[in-house]
Amino acid sequence: MKTAIFGFCMACLIAAAAMTGRGEEAQAQKPPTTAEILAAAKPEDWRALDPENTLYVELASGRVVVELAPAFAPLHAANVKALARERYYDGLAIMRVQDNYVAQWGDPNAEDAEKARRIRNARKSLPPEFDRAIDAKAPFTPLPDGDVYAAEVGYSDGFPAARDRRSGRMWLVHCYGMVGAGRGDTPDSGSGAEIYAVIGHAPRHLDRNVTLFGRVIQGMELLSSLPRLSGPMGFYEKPEQLISIRSIRVAADVHPEERSDLEVMRTDTAAFRELIEARRQRSEEWFLFKPGRVELCNVPVPVRKKSPPQAN
Amino acid sequence: MKTAIFGFCMACLIAAAAMTGRGEEAQAQKPPTTAEILAAAKPEDWRALDPENTLYVELASGRVVVELAPAFAPLHAANVKALARERYYDGLAIMRVQDNYVAQWGDPNAEDAEKARRIRNARKSLPPEFDRAIDAKAPFTPLPDGDVYAAEVGYSDGFPAARDRRSGRMWLVHCYGMVGAGRGDTPDSGSGAEIYAVIGHAPRHLDRNVTLFGRVIQGMELLSSLPRLSGPMGFYEKPEQLISIRSIRVAADVHPEERSDLEVMRTDTAAFRELIEARRQRSEEWFLFKPGRVELCNVPVPVRKKSPPQAN
């Protein structure tokens, strides 16, 4: 079988075939593929990002779009917006890129009282928001195949989450692209002034140890492809290794024409439950062994450009 | 507490503190940290790489060192060495970099009969080596906390592996840094002429679907930090996006002075079992919540420069 789309070897179509799907070959009796589910999804299976809960991290290489999770971390989401609105982050830097772990940004001079960027209106520290109570305000679409770390895992309004019904608590999970607030040794030493994003295999041991407050929706590759920095734990050693943050803005504060109009697939729908099933069954022809199971961080929530309004 | 080592904010010491460990603060009654275990490891807890089972992938940016796994994929390990020895790979290219997935290299012209690089002595296709029989030749250090995909997971001679005693089979697992042979739709369409390495969250749905034959031991960041390519599934769209492979050599064929002398921690020792425990318990002070569990791909096998011979 030729793969005219790439113009070269069939072997190029390794593993990832399923990422775009080859649904046209699927038989009627097979479970639908990811590609088929996305093609069949209705407008109501998608939701637009709320500009008031969206951050734009502007780098020289482009824009990283972060969706905030106030349902899990209301204080951190509010404080990060307050910091963005007082222009705290503008001109600061990515100062840590540790392979298979995190990219992290903030004020390289934060410990130097003379040089440190001043926080004016936002809070300098916050109580931790490592977990929250399970309640009706936090929807939860469970995954059926268990988890190494948590009693139950699934998706809550687009975010990977875990919960424990015995303790009545739920929390966000460190999958690829999740965004959190760096902290020191004490639980209340984070504020959102220093932010990290997961750029490697899910470091699940961080769950409930740090406040996660968002997820990268677009531009992840601008963080994940950064050169790894040479200091211990991937911190910078020389100032020239710092990668400048041009600005961080709340999308609501950006002119509508300059916003990234994105939609995220809803995770409380039949379509998303079908997508979970597609990731479990892998009915694409390429898969000789059908895993029949799926792990939380292997169900990326689809994102797309906002579709234009439909004609009547 | 100041973190003089970085000269700035305590918050910089987020999550990853455990990666280098802060064992000096651990109390005697606490389980040892990763750092303490590494410091206490004896020379016999480490093994040198076998030059006959080590590949050097030479890029303009540096060397990627791959340890082969002939215990799991003898045909693929042998064929990749044969390809390297006939200089098949030299001047070929990395032609796919898909975010949170794989970097992949081989012949961009493989499908063009006129331009394709000729394979002279090596085999052009191989039977799959997706799994193997459980037997005494494959050691296995199990992890205690279960797995979403497999009945049992652990480490076999440095490689992350899974096994199923009911079927009597075991197989290598797609953790970060694992290296496999791209294939087409048929199980025997891979040969090692096209190779991929995992650069993101473990794509475990590929387990038993592709032949894994090695693991990146050093230089992973040279692959993971590559710019993501813009075509479908991260393939290149324009020839200028190709990243040249200068050469791939078997370490045994490289002058001893030009070899990367590395040692890998043995995974069949008490020291490695302690390291698994350290990753589960996280007794470092920073961890407010001790996970008490660990997932296979979150136990990276330590690598170090070969220690100089000890004086008597």
Side-chain angles (χ1 to χ4, degrees), chain A residues 16-41:
Chain A
M19 300 302 268
T20 56
R22 283 175 292 156
E24 69 281 4
E25 292 168 15
Q27 311 275 315
Q29 69 273 26
K30 287 183 188 169
T33 64
T34 301
E36 289 167 335
I37 290 160
L38 292 177

mmCIF file of all heavy atoms in Angstrom, chain A residues 16-41:
data_model
loop_
_atom_site.group_PDB
_atom_site.id
_atom_site.type_symbol
_atom_site.label_atom_id
_atom_site.label_comp_id
_atom_site.label_asym_id
_atom_site.label_seq_id
_atom_site.Cartn_x
_atom_site.Cartn_y
_atom_site.Cartn_z
ATOM 1 N N ALA A 16 2.023 5.895 14.855
ATOM 2 C CA ALA A 16 1.140 7.040 15.016
ATOM 3 C C ALA A 16 0.000 7.075 14.029
ATOM 4 O O ALA A 16 -0.797 7.998 14.060
ATOM 5 C CB ALA A 16 1.930 8.309 14.886
ATOM 6 N N ALA A 17 -0.114 6.104 13.189
ATOM 7 C CA ALA A 17 -1.195 6.118 12.210
ATOM 8 C C ALA A 17 -2.504 6.529 12.878
ATOM 9 O O ALA A 17 -3.270 7.333 12.339
ATOM 10 C CB ALA A 17 -1.338 4.748 11.583
ATOM 11 N N ALA A 18 -2.699 6.048 14.063
ATOM 12 C CA ALA A 18 -3.968 6.310 14.739
ATOM 13 C C ALA A 18 -4.162 7.775 15.073
ATOM 14 O O ALA A 18 -5.293 8.223 15.271
ATOM 15 C CB ALA A 18 -4.054 5.493 16.012
ATOM 16 N N MET A 19 -3.067 8.530 15.140
ATOM 17 C CA MET A 19 -3.186 9.914 15.536
ATOM 18 C C MET A 19 -4.027 10.688 14.534
ATOM 19 O O MET A 19 -4.758 11.594 14.887
ATOM 20 C CB MET A 19 -1.820 10.561 15.681
ATOM 21 C CG MET A 19 -0.947 9.883 16.722
ATOM 22 S SD MET A 19 -1.683 9.827 18.377
ATOM 23 C CE MET A 19 -1.005 11.353 19.062
ATOM 24 N N THR A 20 -3.898 10.374 13.277
ATOM 25 C CA THR A 20 -4.797 11.029 12.329
ATOM 26 C C THR A 20 -5.893 10.068 11.911
ATOM 27 O O THR A 20 -6.922 10.496 11.424
ATOM 28 C CB THR A 20 -4.055 11.505 11.063
ATOM 29 O OG1 THR A 20 -3.406 10.388 10.498
ATOM 30 C CG2 THR A 20 -3.034 12.568 11.394
ATOM 31 N N GLY A 21 -5.641 8.796 12.141
ATOM 32 C CA GLY A 21 -6.684 7.818 11.868
ATOM 33 C C GLY A 21 -6.749 7.475 10.401
ATOM 34 O O GLY A 21 -6.374 8.271 9.532
ATOM 35 N N ARG A 22 -7.149 6.242 10.144
ATOM 36 C CA ARG A 22 -7.364 5.863 8.766
ATOM 37 C C ARG A 22 -8.735 5.223 8.681
ATOM 38 O O ARG A 22 -8.915 4.105 8.252
ATOM 39 C CB ARG A 22 -6.249 4.918 8.304
ATOM 40 C CG ARG A 22 -4.968 5.701 8.020
ATOM 41 C CD ARG A 22 -3.850 4.775 7.679
ATOM 42 N NE ARG A 22 -3.482 3.998 8.852
ATOM 43 C CZ ARG A 22 -2.890 2.818 8.815
ATOM 44 N NH1 ARG A 22 -2.609 2.265 7.668
ATOM 45 N NH2 ARG A 22 -2.578 2.188 9.927
ATOM 46 N N GLY A 23 -9.678 6.005 9.165
ATOM 47 C CA GLY A 23 -11.035 5.503 9.346
ATOM 48 C C GLY A 23 -11.686 5.038 8.064
ATOM 49 O O GLY A 23 -12.571 4.188 8.114
ATOM 50 N N GLU A 24 -11.243 5.550 6.945
ATOM 51 C CA GLU A 24 -11.914 5.191 5.699
ATOM 52 C C GLU A 24 -11.796 3.695 5.423
ATOM 53 O O GLU A 24 -12.574 3.147 4.662
ATOM 54 C CB GLU A 24 -11.357 6.012 4.532
ATOM 55 C CG GLU A 24 -9.919 5.702 4.113
ATOM 56 C CD GLU A 24 -8.866 6.323 5.015
ATOM 57 O OE1 GLU A 24 -9.255 6.935 6.029
ATOM 58 O OE2 GLU A 24 -7.676 6.178 4.727
ATOM 59 N N GLU A 25 -10.852 3.050 6.093
ATOM 60 C CA GLU A 25 -10.680 1.621 5.854
ATOM 61 C C GLU A 25 -11.459 0.779 6.865
ATOM 62 O O GLU A 25 -11.503 -0.434 6.766
ATOM 63 C CB GLU A 25 -9.197 1.251 5.936
ATOM 64 C CG GLU A 25 -8.384 1.851 4.786
ATOM 65 C CD GLU A 25 -6.894 1.732 5.036
ATOM 66 O OE1 GLU A 25 -6.500 0.968 5.927
ATOM 67 O OE2 GLU A 25 -6.155 2.425 4.340
ATOM 68 N N ALA A 26 -11.978 1.451 7.875
ATOM 69 C CA ALA A 26 -12.636 0.688 8.943
ATOM 70 C C ALA A 26 -13.904 0.026 8.416
ATOM 71 O O ALA A 26 -14.624 0.576 7.593
ATOM 72 C CB ALA A 26 -12.966 1.607 10.101
ATOM 73 N N GLN A 27 -14.129 -1.164 8.891
ATOM 74 C CA GLN A 27 -15.353 -1.872 8.540
ATOM 75 C C GLN A 27 -16.488 -1.370 9.442
ATOM 76 O O GLN A 27 -16.257 -0.910 10.545
ATOM 77 C CB GLN A 27 -15.156 -3.368 8.776
ATOM 78 C CG GLN A 27 -13.881 -3.931 8.176
ATOM 79 C CD GLN A 27 -14.058 -4.310 6.727
ATOM 80 O OE1 GLN A 27 -15.046 -4.917 6.381
ATOM 81 N NE2 GLN A 27 -13.120 -3.944 5.879
ATOM 82 N N ALA A 28 -17.702 -1.565 8.951
ATOM 83 C CA ALA A 28 -18.860 -1.082 9.701
ATOM 84 C C ALA A 28 -18.933 -1.698 11.098
ATOM 85 O O ALA A 28 -19.294 -1.045 12.054
ATOM 86 C CB ALA A 28 -20.137 -1.392 8.927
ATOM 87 N N GLN A 29 -18.536 -2.960 11.219
ATOM 88 C CA GLN A 29 -18.691 -3.618 12.515
ATOM 89 C C GLN A 29 -17.598 -3.229 13.497
ATOM 90 O O GLN A 29 -17.693 -3.564 14.670
ATOM 91 C CB GLN A 29 -18.749 -5.149 12.341
ATOM 92 C CG GLN A 29 -17.436 -5.788 11.901
ATOM 93 C CD GLN A 29 -17.258 -5.814 10.385
ATOM 94 O OE1 GLN A 29 -17.822 -4.976 9.669
ATOM 95 N NE2 GLN A 29 -16.469 -6.729 9.879
ATOM 96 N N LYS A 30 -16.570 -2.579 13.037
ATOM 97 C CA LYS A 30 -15.504 -2.179 13.948
ATOM 98 C C LYS A 30 -15.917 -0.959 14.757
ATOM 99 O O LYS A 30 -16.656 -0.106 14.261
ATOM 100 C CB LYS A 30 -14.240 -1.828 13.148
ATOM 101 C CG LYS A 30 -13.532 -3.041 12.572
ATOM 102 C CD LYS A 30 -12.261 -2.585 11.870
ATOM 103 C CE LYS A 30 -11.601 -3.729 11.115
ATOM 104 N NZ LYS A 30 -10.531 -3.242 10.222
ATOM 105 N N PRO A 31 -15.408 -0.813 15.977
ATOM 106 C CA PRO A 31 -15.676 0.438 16.696
ATOM 107 C C PRO A 31 -15.080 1.603 15.916
ATOM 108 O O PRO A 31 -14.071 1.429 15.217
ATOM 109 C CB PRO A 31 -14.973 0.242 18.042
ATOM 110 C CG PRO A 31 -14.196 -1.026 17.951
ATOM 111 C CD PRO A 31 -14.550 -1.737 16.684
ATOM 112 N N PRO A 32 -15.695 2.775 15.988
ATOM 113 C CA PRO A 32 -15.166 3.894 15.207
ATOM 114 C C PRO A 32 -13.767 4.293 15.683
ATOM 115 O O PRO A 32 -13.410 4.084 16.835
ATOM 116 C CB PRO A 32 -16.175 5.016 15.458
ATOM 117 C CG PRO A 32 -16.925 4.620 16.688
ATOM 118 C CD PRO A 32 -16.887 3.124 16.761
ATOM 119 N N THR A 33 -13.008 4.861 14.762
ATOM 120 C CA THR A 33 -11.671 5.353 15.098
ATOM 121 C C THR A 33 -11.773 6.786 15.616
ATOM 122 O O THR A 33 -12.806 7.454 15.460
ATOM 123 C CB THR A 33 -10.775 5.362 13.852
ATOM 124 O OG1 THR A 33 -11.339 6.294 12.918
ATOM 125 C CG2 THR A 33 -10.697 3.977 13.215
ATOM 126 N N THR A 34 -10.676 7.254 16.181
ATOM 127 C CA THR A 34 -10.607 8.642 16.632
ATOM 128 C C THR A 34 -10.965 9.590 15.489
ATOM 129 O O THR A 34 -11.745 10.539 15.676
ATOM 130 C CB THR A 34 -9.191 8.951 17.148
ATOM 131 O OG1 THR A 34 -8.901 8.052 18.222
ATOM 132 C CG2 THR A 34 -9.075 10.379 17.636
ATOM 133 N N ALA A 35 -10.417 9.320 14.308
ATOM 134 C CA ALA A 35 -10.677 10.206 13.169
ATOM 135 C C ALA A 35 -12.162 10.226 12.820
ATOM 136 O O ALA A 35 -12.729 11.284 12.512
ATOM 137 C CB ALA A 35 -9.852 9.752 11.958
ATOM 138 N N GLU A 36 -12.795 9.055 12.876
ATOM 139 C CA GLU A 36 -14.225 8.994 12.560
ATOM 140 C C GLU A 36 -15.062 9.735 13.606
ATOM 141 O O GLU A 36 -16.036 10.407 13.267
ATOM 142 C CB GLU A 36 -14.664 7.524 12.465
ATOM 143 C CG GLU A 36 -14.117 6.838 11.214
ATOM 144 C CD GLU A 36 -14.282 5.322 11.255
ATOM 145 O OE1 GLU A 36 -14.363 4.744 12.361
ATOM 146 O OE2 GLU A 36 -14.302 4.729 10.162
ATOM 147 N N ILE A 37 -14.664 9.611 14.846
ATOM 148 C CA ILE A 37 -15.416 10.294 15.909
ATOM 149 C C ILE A 37 -15.288 11.808 15.764
ATOM 150 O O ILE A 37 -16.263 12.552 15.891
ATOM 151 C CB ILE A 37 -14.914 9.815 17.285
ATOM 152 C CG1 ILE A 37 -15.341 8.362 17.494
ATOM 153 C CG2 ILE A 37 -15.432 10.716 18.406
ATOM 154 C CD1 ILE A 37 -14.541 7.640 18.550
ATOM 155 N N LEU A 38 -14.089 12.269 15.465
ATOM 156 C CA LEU A 38 -13.896 13.713 15.293
ATOM 157 C C LEU A 38 -14.686 14.212 14.083
ATOM 158 O O LEU A 38 -15.291 15.288 14.132
ATOM 159 C CB LEU A 38 -12.414 14.043 15.148
ATOM 160 C CG LEU A 38 -11.586 13.823 16.422
ATOM 161 C CD1 LEU A 38 -10.109 14.108 16.162
ATOM 162 C CD2 LEU A 38 -12.093 14.691 17.567
ATOM 163 N N ALA A 39 -14.691 13.409 13.029
ATOM 164 C CA ALA A 39 -15.420 13.824 11.826
ATOM 165 C C ALA A 39 -16.920 13.897 12.093
ATOM 166 O O ALA A 39 -17.621 14.733 11.526
ATOM 167 C CB ALA A 39 -15.118 12.856 10.673
ATOM 168 N N ALA A 40 -17.411 13.015 12.954
ATOM 169 C CA ALA A 40 -18.855 12.944 13.208
ATOM 170 C C ALA A 40 -19.304 13.857 14.345
ATOM 171 O O ALA A 40 -20.510 14.016 14.570
ATOM 172 C CB ALA A 40 -19.248 11.499 13.527
ATOM 173 N N ALA A 41 -18.361 14.460 15.065
ATOM 174 C CA ALA A 41 -18.735 15.266 16.235
ATOM 175 C C ALA A 41 -19.597 16.456 15.804
ATOM 176 O O ALA A 41 -19.372 17.053 14.747
ATOM 177 C CB ALA A 41 -17.478 15.739 16.962
#
